[in-house]
Amino acid sequence: MITEINTGLPAMADPSVIQPGDEMYQIVTRLYPICRSITGNGVRQTLQILQDYIPVQIKEVPTGTPVFDWTVPKEWNIQDAWIKDPQGNIILSFKDHNLHVLNYSTPIHKTVSLAELKPHLFSLPDKPDWIPYRTSYYNENWGFCMTHRQLESLEDGDYEVCIDSSLEPGSLTYGECFLPGSTEEEVLISCHICHPSLANDNLSGISLAVKLIQWLQEQPHRYSYRFLFIPGTIGSITWLSLNEQQAFKIKHGLVATLVGDSGRFTYKKSRRGNATIDRAAAHALKHIQLPYHIIDFFPYGYDERQYCSPGFNLPVGCLMRTPHGQYPEYHTSADNLDLVQPQNLTESYQLYKTILQILEGNGIYVNQNPKCEPQLGKRGLYRAISGDNHTKSYEMAMLWVLNLSDGEHSLLEIAEKADIPFEFIQKVAVLLEEHGLLKLQTFL
Amino acid sequence: MITEINTGLPAMADPSVIQPGDEMYQIVTRLYPICRSITGNGVRQTLQILQDYIPVQIKEVPTGTPVFDWTVPKEWNIQDAWIKDPQGNIILSFKDHNLHVLNYSTPIHKTVSLAELKPHLFSLPDKPDWIPYRTSYYNENWGFCMTHRQLESLEDGDYEVCIDSSLEPGSLTYGECFLPGSTEEEVLISCHICHPSLANDNLSGISLAVKLIQWLQEQPHRYSYRFLFIPGTIGSITWLSLNEQQAFKIKHGLVATLVGDSGRFTYKKSRRGNATIDRAAAHALKHIQLPYHIIDFFPYGYDERQYCSPGFNLPVGCLMRTPHGQYPEYHTSADNLDLVQPQNLTESYQLYKTILQILEGNGIYVNQNPKCEPQLGKRGLYRAISGDNHTKSYEMAMLWVLNLSDGEHSLLEIAEKADIPFEFIQKVAVLLEEHGLLKLQTFL
Amino acid sequence: MITEINTGLPAMADPSVIQPGDEMYQIVTRLYPICRSITGNGVRQTLQILQDYIPVQIKEVPTGTPVFDWTVPKEWNIQDAWIKDPQGNIILSFKDHNLHVLNYSTPIHKTVSLAELKPHLFSLPDKPDWIPYRTSYYNENWGFCMTHRQLESLEDGDYEVCIDSSLEPGSLTYGECFLPGSTEEEVLISCHICHPSLANDNLSGISLAVKLIQWLQEQPHRYSYRFLFIPGTIGSITWLSLNEQQAFKIKHGLVATLVGDSGRFTYKKSRRGNATIDRAAAHALKHIQLPYHIIDFFPYGYDERQYCSPGFNLPVGCLMRTPHGQYPEYHTSADNLDLVQPQNLTESYQLYKTILQILEGNGIYVNQNPKCEPQLGKRGLYRAISGDNHTKSYEMAMLWVLNLSDGEHSLLEIAEKADIPFEFIQKVAVLLEEHGLLKLQTFL
């Protein structure tokens, strides 16, 4: 039992076995072609596919429902869209790529001059071969997105444009999966499902949530877990508005997104800045042996904006790889199935799992022999021959746990002070409890 | 209205228009020839000249008045002083430079040998062409200051020395300019007026105070402003002694000095170390885009020594460019009209103004829609087409103000956390208040 | 009186006079040959020699005495030990080096094959010429330690092994020296005395304690001082168990060990992390002008493990040079009289003395003229001619003490803020008190 501590995470990516990331990548691949938006059939279809993997409930909230300062918008659906050039050739088609349409475009079918058309065309001059992703949710408008190369090649003349969409009363659709634990306190995992064919921004987080649900279903857990699959901004506002009291059961939360690219991990702290979720994430990252950095909360980004609004101020952070806007493919057609890779997804999944394990295992134990060290040797917990240095062993973990288990330090705080992975601190705490040297005071 | 934030200060120094520093430099030039000391006609004459610019009151405190542990000293005045060499030639004359006389020298007229004279001569061996500035306020003594080059050239023989001064009962003179605001709480700006022909050390601060008074007279202000033009040490002790209760109305204060050289800015914190003035100065400096550094309080320097004595502990910092003793010209004849430059004065004035604007505008606002973000778009406060990154915009400033306006963060604290200049944070706070999204809880 | 502050410690090591380290080295040399252990005659003999220098009391605690979770072990004594090779030649003898025997070996005399012998032999493969130091206190066992070179040269065959030791009921022996001061509050200096011929690890600390006792005997002191000469771990557990209430009189403490090598100083903080002893040690180190570093408490090392167990949590740090396990000679025959040097011992002694002087002199004084500075000049405490910069003078020390003596800052805190050695801060505090400008509120 007395061995060196392996300070890394559980070994990752044995190439001969199926990794979690392989299954996650399959989900990403399956969902990639669907044209999602903040409402509409694309979201419903996405959630129906997820029901093949997890018990997710599909909820509908009618257009016009007031949700805090907002109103649930009209439902948007689209069948097709295209542009014909002056010669009548289709030069751009929704069927080729759903990013070609300004998301939430109103229906239109008319012929316009190039000059009239141009204000409705969006491209990326510095990335001339990529299609941008643009939306116009709350200002009725229509438009097309195309490569800048194509935009520049357009000749004068009349263009026939068609967007066969509808923007009508309907509902906002979201998914919710609740896994009751032994307590009513909740951990929230929230991901957005409103982006069309964008793989990292949206699908990677969805696949991670699915995998975490499957893992949690296989074992007992103290916390109840709530997973939300929601359209960005309006989805979290809607859920918070309809579940205002429920929201305060959330003790820890993470917004899961952008977890499939190969960039270093980025943890964006909750607004509180020193919540347990912030410390658990920082601790897990410190020992993951992969590059990472931690940033303070700022009121922009994903749905943490709403969870961390001052009236809620929930302990919800955002754990991603490269943040939004910081990788060149962000919000373009290049955020595709090449950008996301199974190995990256596996690493992200392992990291999330480690964090949840910390939350599950964290508690305060009390040393039952607080005056001087207990004699570990007579209990078979110590080496027989003394003489070497061994600052990274189970023994050191035991000494740390005994020294700091004064009723004021949680296991996570002990792991932080000892600079030893939580997993080992927790293991020796359980061992010392079995030997009567520690007593659990409370889980946290 | 939605535009990028210009993170610099208001533009400085358009060469075609008269800058504040030009007018300040004229004041410095006009005051430079006067022989000031901690008492006497030099101070009176200085203050009378200032009355050409600002409504400054001239106060007289009789010799012998007890002021805490001190006593107002005798008044010192000087008409002339000179040294004649053994051949009877005048080799040094007060009329050439008022630094030639040990400040507060008692009257003398006699002939002494070089050996007797030498203990009364002061020079700077390592700066052989500069005249040092020396004083002997509280030990009656007489003496001359000269270049080291001249000192070394003195030949043996008898020297006739004459100091036509008087040290007699009279009064200590100081100036006070009070600008009442809408509240009784005060901001103190204190500068010393006791140095003879020294331009940076003394005159630059005086000219800055004059310019700030002129600016404040042109507009409404919440705070009442008290400007003191006082002899160093004994002046602040005298004012504090005679205005002990009044002193506790001071909520923020700055000692203004050494603002005309070209060195980087130095802010010396108040003894409290984290007073609002300390944070306002640090914030203004962070965004000024000129070199600066911030140092902790220490009990030496200018009149902050008295304002920050433990019995007062007022929130008074000292904002200068190169600190005393840290530029070679300090306390020598080289601290002259060449060392001080209009552009430097302009920058210093702008910085002080920015700090006062922060003090004036700082308050706590409360978000009226604290649960989730309010919908800015429907109020015309948000871009129509979404998709780009824009972390330095009015929108970001709005999101920061909304997120942190929970009744616990002042605008200055929000500006610090957001790392956005206070000016913009304040602007969007006022805009959000106009739209009913914020409510002013209290000015600070 | 107004002179520059010499920021170093009192001058060290004038080669023409006997230094403290010379006398300490003599003690180390005298004690080096003795075979100590956690019990037995080696400890008694060691303490009897110390009685030649200091009034140390020798205490005996019977085998079997329960001490918290532990029991005082049987007493171990040894007369001789050897190994004969298959040819009957003595190849290893306890008389050559007492490290040759596994400390606490049970008696044995038999002939064994090399294969049977090998599990009882200990060596250091990567330091083939050094004998390791190994113990087996709490698991009855026997064994020999030898150089790896010798171990590798052993040929097959039968070896006669003899350990003429006894492990029988007896007692645990320790030494205690108590120097009453003017208060009952105590400073603890604890050193271990359980290592056989190891010079730095054990003897250097003992010699330091002796020298500090001699110094304290020569002068009055506020604190009572308790010096413990104890076997590691079981000794401190025994003392704490038998003196549980007494222990809470300890206001400051240091574990003294490893003070004779030439490495930089290492201060390991108490578990509290910001106790006065931690600040006093950090302050003394900052001004010693020798390399050092400061580390946080961790629950391994020397008897601070017991003093800082959560049920006691005493403010006891550990001040050493190179920490245990971090110099190659640690726990080997190379930790000998060459590793320890008089100059190193002198420096360590001076540092400890400086820390004790800080503890003795630390107090809170109150400025009797808190409103503005008092006029130092009229009391002869200030220079006559003003004009130079002098931030490192007695004057600056006076200004700091006056400014911060508001009843909330101790002299040590003032010394820290001023970055001036405590010695000078204390000197000017006493001077200012003599002039009626300060009043002692309380010693700390």
Side-chain angles (χ1 to χ4, degrees):
Chain A
M1 188 223 54
I2 303 300
T3 57
E4 291 299 301
I5 289 176
N6 170 355
T7 54
L9 279 178
M12 291 177 186
D14 173 346
S16 68
V17 296
I18 294 172
Q19 293 296 324
D22 298 326
E23 297 170 344
M24 292 160 74
Y25 190 78
Q26 284 175 9
I27 295 169
V28 171
T29 306
R30 197 168 160 199
L31 298 176
Y32 182 72
I34 300 168
C35 180
R36 278 163 295 270
S37 181
I38 55 171
T39 59
N41 292 323
V43 174
R44 279 187 202 97
Q45 194 184 342
T46 299
L47 292 170
Q48 282 156 4
I49 290 174
L50 294 187
Q51 287 180 327
D52 292 351
Y53 303 88
I54 50 165
V56 59
Q57 284 190 295
I58 301 177
K59 311 263 183 150
E60 303 281 352
V61 182
T63 295
T65 305
V67 287
F68 294 128
D69 192 48
W70 302 61
T71 305
V72 172
K74 290 182 197 161
E75 180 174 328
W76 185 68
N77 285 292
I78 181 164
Q79 281 71 46
D80 199 2
W82 43 260
I83 302 176
K84 284 187 185 162
D85 69 8
Q87 288 74 40
N89 302 314
I90 289 184
I91 58 162
L92 175 147
S93 169
F94 173 72
K95 293 196 165 65
D96 292 337
H97 206 303
N98 56 41
L99 291 185
H100 274 318
V101 176
L102 176 71
N103 205 291
Y104 250 66
S105 275
T106 47
I108 192 159
H109 189 172
K110 63 176 171 179
T111 298
V112 294
S113 69
L114 181 59
E116 288 169 287
L117 180 57
K118 276 215 165 160
H120 294 274
L121 299 182
F122 303 94
S123 71
L124 298 165
D126 56 341
K127 295 158 191 161
D129 293 314
W130 295 350
I131 310 163
Y133 164 54
R134 290 288 181 274
T135 66
S136 186
Y137 301 139
Y138 302 102
N139 288 277
E140 296 200 1
N141 196 355
W142 61 270
F144 296 90
C145 302
M146 59 176 64
T147 67
H148 196 62
R149 211 172 293 282
Q150 181 172 28
L151 184 85
E152 291 208 300
S153 71
L154 297 182
E155 54 196 30
D156 271 343
D158 288 339
Y159 287 79
E160 185 184 350
V161 296
C162 172
I163 298 179
D164 179 9
S165 67
S166 62
L167 187 57
E168 291 166 0
S171 64
L172 176 151
T173 309
Y174 71 89
E176 187 161 7
C177 177
F178 183 69
L179 304 174
S182 55
T183 77
E184 286 213 339
E185 299 190 331
E186 294 186 15
V187 176
L188 172 74
I189 307 286
S190 177
C191 57
H192 62 285
I193 50 156
C194 52
H195 286 31
S197 292
L198 293 166
N200 196 34
D201 186 0
N202 161 339
L203 298 180
S204 69
I206 294 169
S207 75
L208 175 59
V210 168
K211 206 71 203 143
L212 288 172
I213 290 167
Q214 292 177 338
W215 170 66
L216 284 162
Q217 286 179 308
E218 288 166 12
Q219 60 198 353
H221 42 85
R222 290 198 295 124
Y223 283 108
S224 297
Y225 285 81
R226 187 173 302 278
F227 287 79
L228 295 181
F229 299 86
I230 49 177
T233 304
I234 189 64
S236 51
I237 292 170
T238 297
W239 188 87
L240 286 165
S241 177
L242 301 180
N243 298 276
E244 201 170 330
Q245 291 315 311
Q246 185 70 22
F248 291 102
K249 289 189 182 165
I250 295 169
K251 297 303 165 197
H252 320 283
L254 288 172
V255 171
T257 181
L258 303 176
V259 294
D261 65 288
S262 62
R264 64 174 177 178
F265 284 110
T266 300
Y267 178 68
K268 175 184 174 182
K269 291 183 193 174
S270 78
R271 183 179 182 273
R272 299 185 186 185
N274 200 22
T276 300
I277 186 65
D278 301 322
R279 300 175 70 168
H283 181 76
L285 283 164
K286 191 170 180 193
H287 292 281
I288 199 180
Q289 296 177 329
L290 289 171
Y292 74 96
H293 73 148
I294 294 175
I295 56 179
D296 283 336
F297 177 80
F298 58 94
Y300 197 67
Y302 293 98
D303 287 308
E304 67 276 12
R305 292 163 67 165
Q306 312 309 328
Y307 301 125
C308 296
S309 58
F312 285 106
N313 197 23
L314 297 175
V316 175
C318 179
L319 178 51
M320 46 203 159
R321 300 191 72 122
T322 310
H324 48 91
Q326 296 187 17
Y327 58 98
E329 301 89 348
Y330 174 75
H331 275 197
T332 75
S333 54
D335 183 349
N336 58 26
L337 294 171
D338 291 332
L339 182 70
V340 169
Q341 288 299 320
Q343 169 64 14
N344 308 333
L345 292 167
T346 297
E347 291 170 359
S348 299
Y349 167 71
Q350 300 283 20
L351 177 61
Y352 267 78
K353 219 173 78 175
T354 299
I355 293 170
L356 298 187
Q357 286 169 327
I358 293 172
L359 299 176
E360 286 285 329
N362 194 26
I364 293 180
Y365 288 78
V366 179
N367 184 337
Q368 301 298 298
N369 288 270
K371 292 195 169 163
C372 298
E373 294 170 7
Q375 192 175 2
L376 297 176
K378 71 184 182 190
R379 295 174 175 89
L381 297 172
Y382 214 73
R383 290 157 307 154
I385 302 291
S386 176
D388 295 313
N389 203 29
H390 60 123
T391 52
K392 286 279 176 197
S393 66
Y394 275 100
E395 284 175 38
M396 274 310 294
M398 278 189 277
L399 293 174
W400 273 111
V401 170
L402 288 166
N403 188 272
L404 291 179
S405 287
D406 53 5
E408 291 175 23
H409 293 83
S410 70
L411 291 188
L412 176 55
E413 287 167 320
I414 296 172
E416 285 172 345
K417 280 213 172 193
D419 197 19
I420 292 176
F422 180 85
E423 180 188 354
F424 297 94
I425 291 294
Q426 190 195 3
K427 265 186 197 161
V428 302
V430 169
L431 182 69
L432 290 167
E433 195 189 19
E434 287 167 10
H435 281 83
L437 293 172
L438 280 191
K439 208 167 180 173
L440 177 64
Q441 180 177 288
T442 179
F443 274 119
L444 289 178
Chain B
M1 186 224 53
I2 303 300
T3 57
E4 290 300 300
I5 290 176
N6 170 357
T7 54
L9 278 177
M12 291 180 187
D14 173 345
S16 67
V17 298
I18 294 172
Q19 293 297 324
D22 298 327
E23 296 171 344
M24 292 161 74
Y25 190 77
Q26 284 176 9
I27 295 169
V28 170
T29 305
R30 196 167 162 200
L31 299 176
Y32 182 72
I34 300 168
C35 181
R36 281 162 292 271
S37 182
I38 56 172
T39 61
N41 292 324
V43 175
R44 279 186 203 96
Q45 195 183 340
T46 299
L47 292 170
Q48 283 154 4
I49 289 173
L50 293 188
Q51 286 178 328
D52 292 351
Y53 303 90
I54 50 166
V56 59
Q57 285 190 295
I58 301 177
K59 312 264 182 149
E60 303 280 354
V61 183
T63 296
T65 305
V67 287
F68 294 127
D69 192 50
W70 303 61
T71 305
V72 172
K74 290 182 196 160
E75 180 175 328
W76 184 68
N77 284 294
I78 181 163
Q79 281 70 48
D80 200 3
W82 44 260
I83 303 175
K84 285 188 184 163
D85 69 8
Q87 288 75 42
N89 303 314
I90 288 183
I91 57 164
L92 174 148
S93 168
F94 172 73
K95 293 194 165 62
D96 291 337
H97 208 302
N98 56 41
L99 290 186
H100 275 318
V101 176
L102 176 71
N103 205 291
Y104 249 66
S105 276
T106 47
I108 193 160
H109 189 175
K110 63 177 171 180
T111 299
V112 293
S113 70
L114 182 59
E116 288 169 288
L117 180 56
K118 277 216 166 160
H120 294 272
L121 299 181
F122 302 94
S123 71
L124 297 165
D126 57 340
K127 295 158 191 160
D129 293 316
W130 295 352
I131 311 162
Y133 164 54
R134 290 287 181 275
T135 67
S136 185
Y137 301 138
Y138 301 102
N139 288 276
E140 295 201 359
N141 196 355
W142 62 268
F144 295 91
C145 302
M146 58 177 61
T147 68
H148 196 63
R149 212 172 291 284
Q150 180 172 29
L151 184 85
E152 290 207 302
S153 73
L154 297 182
E155 54 194 30
D156 273 343
D158 288 339
Y159 288 79
E160 185 184 350
V161 297
C162 172
I163 298 178
D164 179 10
S165 68
S166 63
L167 188 56
E168 291 166 358
S171 64
L172 176 150
T173 308
Y174 71 88
E176 188 162 5
C177 178
F178 183 71
L179 304 174
S182 55
T183 76
E184 287 212 338
E185 300 192 330
E186 293 186 14
V187 175
L188 172 75
I189 306 287
S190 177
C191 58
H192 63 283
I193 50 155
C194 53
H195 287 31
S197 292
L198 294 167
N200 196 33
D201 186 1
N202 160 335
L203 299 180
S204 69
I206 294 169
S207 74
L208 174 60
V210 167
K211 206 71 204 141
L212 288 173
I213 289 166
Q214 291 178 337
W215 170 67
L216 284 163
Q217 285 179 310
E218 288 166 11
Q219 60 199 353
H221 41 86
R222 290 198 295 126
Y223 283 109
S224 297
Y225 286 81
R226 187 174 301 278
F227 287 79
L228 295 180
F229 299 87
I230 49 177
T233 304
I234 188 65
S236 51
I237 292 169
T238 297
W239 189 87
L240 286 166
S241 178
L242 301 181
N243 299 277
E244 200 170 331
Q245 291 316 311
Q246 186 69 25
F248 291 103
K249 290 189 185 165
I250 295 169
K251 297 303 165 199
H252 319 283
L254 289 172
V255 170
T257 181
L258 304 176
V259 293
D261 65 288
S262 62
R264 65 173 175 179
F265 284 110
T266 300
Y267 178 68
K268 175 185 173 182
K269 290 183 193 175
S270 78
R271 183 180 183 272
R272 299 185 185 186
N274 200 23
T276 299
I277 186 66
D278 301 322
R279 299 175 71 168
H283 181 76
L285 284 164
K286 190 170 180 193
H287 292 282
I288 199 181
Q289 296 177 330
L290 289 170
Y292 73 96
H293 72 147
I294 294 175
I295 57 179
D296 283 336
F297 177 81
F298 59 93
Y300 197 66
Y302 292 98
D303 287 308
E304 68 275 11
R305 292 163 67 166
Q306 312 309 329
Y307 302 124
C308 296
S309 59
F312 285 106
N313 196 25
L314 297 175
V316 177
C318 179
L319 178 51
M320 48 203 158
R321 299 191 72 121
T322 310
H324 48 91
Q326 295 187 17
Y327 59 97
E329 301 88 350
Y330 174 75
H331 275 198
T332 75
S333 54
D335 183 350
N336 58 25
L337 294 171
D338 291 331
L339 182 69
V340 169
Q341 287 300 321
Q343 170 65 13
N344 307 334
L345 293 167
T346 296
E347 291 169 358
S348 299
Y349 167 71
Q350 300 283 22
L351 177 61
Y352 267 77
K353 220 174 73 174
T354 299
I355 294 169
L356 298 187
Q357 284 169 326
I358 292 172
L359 298 176
E360 286 286 329
N362 194 26
I364 293 180
Y365 288 78
V366 179
N367 184 336
Q368 301 300 297
N369 287 271
K371 292 193 170 164
C372 298
E373 294 170 5
Q375 192 176 2
L376 297 175
K378 71 183 182 190
R379 296 173 175 87
L381 298 171
Y382 214 73
R383 290 157 307 154
I385 302 291
S386 176
D388 293 313
N389 203 28
H390 59 123
T391 53
K392 286 280 177 197
S393 66
Y394 274 100
E395 284 175 39
M396 273 311 293
M398 278 190 275
L399 293 174
W400 273 110
V401 169
L402 288 167
N403 188 272
L404 291 178
S405 287
D406 53 4
E408 291 175 24
H409 294 84
S410 70
L411 291 189
L412 176 55
E413 287 167 319
I414 296 172
E416 286 172 343
K417 279 213 173 193
D419 197 20
I420 292 176
F422 180 85
E423 181 189 353
F424 297 94
I425 291 294
Q426 191 195 3
K427 265 186 198 162
V428 302
V430 169
L431 182 68
L432 290 167
E433 195 189 19
E434 287 168 11
H435 281 83
L437 293 173
L438 281 191
K439 208 167 180 173
L440 177 64
Q441 180 177 289
T442 178
F443 274 120
L444 287 179
Chain C
M1 189 225 53
I2 303 299
T3 57
E4 291 299 302
I5 290 176
N6 169 357
T7 54
L9 278 177
M12 291 179 187
D14 172 344
S16 67
V17 296
I18 293 172
Q19 294 295 324
D22 297 327
E23 296 170 344
M24 291 161 75
Y25 191 77
Q26 284 175 9
I27 295 169
V28 171
T29 305
R30 197 168 160 199
L31 298 175
Y32 182 72
I34 300 168
C35 180
R36 280 163 294 271
S37 182
I38 55 171
T39 61
N41 291 323
V43 175
R44 280 187 201 95
Q45 195 184 338
T46 297
L47 292 170
Q48 282 155 7
I49 289 173
L50 294 187
Q51 286 179 329
D52 291 353
Y53 303 89
I54 51 165
V56 59
Q57 284 190 295
I58 301 176
K59 311 265 183 148
E60 303 280 353
V61 181
T63 296
T65 305
V67 287
F68 295 126
D69 191 50
W70 303 60
T71 305
V72 172
K74 290 181 197 163
E75 180 175 329
W76 184 68
N77 283 294
I78 182 165
Q79 280 71 46
D80 200 2
W82 44 259
I83 302 175
K84 284 187 186 165
D85 69 7
Q87 290 73 42
N89 302 313
I90 288 184
I91 58 163
L92 174 149
S93 169
F94 173 71
K95 293 195 164 63
D96 292 338
H97 207 302
N98 56 41
L99 291 185
H100 274 319
V101 176
L102 176 71
N103 204 291
Y104 251 67
S105 275
T106 47
I108 192 160
H109 189 176
K110 64 176 172 180
T111 299
V112 293
S113 69
L114 181 60
E116 287 170 288
L117 180 57
K118 278 215 164 161
H120 294 273
L121 299 181
F122 303 94
S123 71
L124 297 165
D126 57 340
K127 295 157 190 163
D129 293 314
W130 295 353
I131 310 164
Y133 164 54
R134 290 288 181 274
T135 66
S136 185
Y137 300 140
Y138 302 103
N139 288 275
E140 295 201 0
N141 195 355
W142 62 269
F144 295 91
C145 302
M146 59 176 62
T147 67
H148 195 64
R149 212 172 291 283
Q150 181 173 28
L151 184 86
E152 291 208 301
S153 72
L154 298 182
E155 56 195 30
D156 271 342
D158 289 339
Y159 287 80
E160 186 183 350
V161 297
C162 173
I163 298 177
D164 181 10
S165 67
S166 63
L167 187 57
E168 290 167 359
S171 65
L172 176 151
T173 309
Y174 72 88
E176 188 162 4
C177 177
F178 183 70
L179 304 174
S182 56
T183 76
E184 287 212 339
E185 298 191 332
E186 294 187 13
V187 176
L188 172 75
I189 307 287
S190 176
C191 57
H192 62 284
I193 51 155
C194 53
H195 286 30
S197 292
L198 293 166
N200 196 33
D201 185 1
N202 163 339
L203 298 180
S204 69
I206 295 170
S207 74
L208 174 60
V210 167
K211 206 70 204 140
L212 289 172
I213 290 166
Q214 290 178 339
W215 170 67
L216 285 162
Q217 285 179 310
E218 287 166 11
Q219 61 199 350
H221 41 87
R222 290 197 296 124
Y223 283 108
S224 297
Y225 285 81
R226 187 174 301 277
F227 287 79
L228 295 180
F229 299 87
I230 50 177
T233 304
I234 188 65
S236 50
I237 292 170
T238 297
W239 188 87
L240 286 166
S241 177
L242 302 180
N243 299 276
E244 200 170 330
Q245 290 315 311
Q246 185 70 24
F248 291 103
K249 290 189 183 165
I250 295 168
K251 297 303 166 200
H252 318 282
L254 289 172
V255 170
T257 182
L258 304 176
V259 293
D261 65 287
S262 61
R264 64 174 177 178
F265 284 110
T266 299
Y267 178 67
K268 176 184 171 181
K269 292 183 192 174
S270 79
R271 183 179 182 273
R272 298 185 187 186
N274 200 24
T276 300
I277 185 65
D278 301 322
R279 299 176 69 166
H283 181 76
L285 283 164
K286 190 171 180 193
H287 292 281
I288 199 180
Q289 296 177 330
L290 289 172
Y292 73 96
H293 72 147
I294 295 176
I295 56 178
D296 284 335
F297 177 79
F298 59 93
Y300 197 67
Y302 293 99
D303 288 308
E304 68 276 11
R305 291 163 66 165
Q306 313 309 327
Y307 302 125
C308 295
S309 58
F312 285 107
N313 197 22
L314 297 175
V316 176
C318 179
L319 178 51
M320 47 204 159
R321 302 190 71 121
T322 310
H324 48 91
Q326 295 188 16
Y327 58 97
E329 302 89 349
Y330 173 75
H331 275 197
T332 75
S333 53
D335 182 348
N336 58 26
L337 294 171
D338 292 332
L339 182 69
V340 168
Q341 287 301 321
Q343 170 64 14
N344 307 334
L345 292 167
T346 296
E347 291 170 358
S348 300
Y349 167 71
Q350 301 282 23
L351 176 61
Y352 267 77
K353 220 173 75 175
T354 299
I355 293 170
L356 298 188
Q357 285 168 327
I358 292 173
L359 298 177
E360 286 286 329
N362 194 26
I364 293 179
Y365 288 79
V366 180
N367 184 337
Q368 301 299 297
N369 288 271
K371 291 194 169 162
C372 298
E373 293 171 7
Q375 193 176 2
L376 297 175
K378 72 183 183 190
R379 296 173 175 89
L381 298 171
Y382 214 73
R383 291 155 309 154
I385 302 292
S386 175
D388 295 312
N389 203 29
H390 60 123
T391 52
K392 284 280 177 196
S393 67
Y394 274 100
E395 283 174 40
M396 273 310 294
M398 277 189 279
L399 292 174
W400 273 110
V401 170
L402 288 167
N403 187 273
L404 291 178
S405 287
D406 52 6
E408 290 175 24
H409 293 85
S410 70
L411 291 188
L412 176 54
E413 286 167 321
I414 296 173
E416 286 172 343
K417 279 214 173 191
D419 197 19
I420 293 176
F422 180 86
E423 181 188 353
F424 296 95
I425 293 293
Q426 190 195 4
K427 266 188 196 158
V428 302
V430 169
L431 182 69
L432 291 167
E433 195 189 18
E434 287 168 10
H435 281 83
L437 292 172
L438 280 192
K439 207 167 184 173
L440 177 64
Q441 178 177 290
T442 179
F443 274 120
L444 288 180

